Amino acid sequence: MSWFESFILGLVQGLTEFLPISSSAHLRLTAAFAGWHDPGAAFTAITQIGTETAVLIYFRKDIATIVGAWCRSVVALVRRDDSMRGNHDAQLGWLVIIGSIPIGVLGLTLKDQIEGPFRDLRLIATTLIVMGLVLGLADRLAARAETGGGRHRANGGKTLRDLGVRDGLIYGCCQALALVPGVSRSGATISGGLLMGYTREAAARYSFLLAVPAVLASGFYELRDAGEGHVAWGQTVFATLVAFVVGYAVIAWFMRFITTRSFMPFVYYRVALGILIFVLVAAGVLSPHAGESAA
């Protein structure tokens, strides 16, 4: 991998990680369209450390409060002290842990499929379209609720204070779908949140918080494979730094965007990109396994 490829892939990772359009799919597609080697699942996971570091910094106050409350709740639990029972921030900490279990279990179980069959461009095109339509449906239902026609019209939608174990596990299962490139971690969890009646802001905020342990664990786990094949350590680190800088800017923009705008532009983009991939593969312009053998 050249330094130019590293820069472009880091840029793509930073731009797409937090948008509901799938960063792993775009890294795979960028390489395929450019005629480069597939950067691979390990490269994708490691560069996500950069974007999740951006999350840690952007939400540093929220995360520090949650971690502090969770630690105090553990101490209280050991001492059989009920003083932390009902503490919202401590509960969020436990729910993030519970919600991270599905992707952790499935990530280890399906590791070979994630690094192989799941990177087929036809599967990526399918997940882009299907999950795009799901996001569109969820967005329309959220819009109905906001205008007084939905199930949560009385309070304008559920917030993170309404989050419980059941919803936490559902969020976690939605996040696990993102093991397939094209699904999108943020797209799946935000869609799940909207379908459960959460506000756009609450669904996005919890999506970002839930991703932190899963993405960091995956990235550090894949560090053992860094530097193997055609992707050297230097280029991987450089791409991760680029992803961090760009990712931070995207978070700030996205959190402002969702407070007043619909997710429909992302839906149209996903469906159009999925159809384009199918057309190019069917026409023989693009191989569904482009770059895989070289990677």
Side-chain angles (χ1 to χ4, degrees), residues 96-116:
V96 166
I97 293 173
I98 292 172
S100 300
I101 293 174
I103 196 170
V105 173
L106 291 176
L108 293 173
T109 303
L110 302 175
K111 186 176 186 301
D112 291 340
Q113 287 74 21
I114 294 169
E115 296 176 348

Side-chain angles (χ1 to χ4, degrees), residues 190-260:
I190 290 173
S191 295
L194 294 178
L195 290 173
M196 288 188 287
Y198 287 86
T199 65
R200 287 187 177 93
E201 193 274 339
R205 183 173 292 269
Y206 189 64
S207 171
F208 292 158
L209 294 175
L210 182 62
V212 171
V215 172
L216 290 180
S218 173
F220 286 117
Y221 177 78
E222 294 290 357
L223 282 176
R224 60 193 178 85
D225 292 331
E228 295 183 1
H230 74 288
V231 185
W233 257 106
Q235 285 90 332
T236 301
V237 172
F238 179 57
T240 302
L241 291 174
V242 172
F244 161 71
V245 174
V246 177
Y248 187 89
V250 171
I251 294 176
W253 172 83
F254 187 62
M255 292 305 294
R256 289 194 301 271
F257 176 89
I258 60 174
T259 59
T260 58

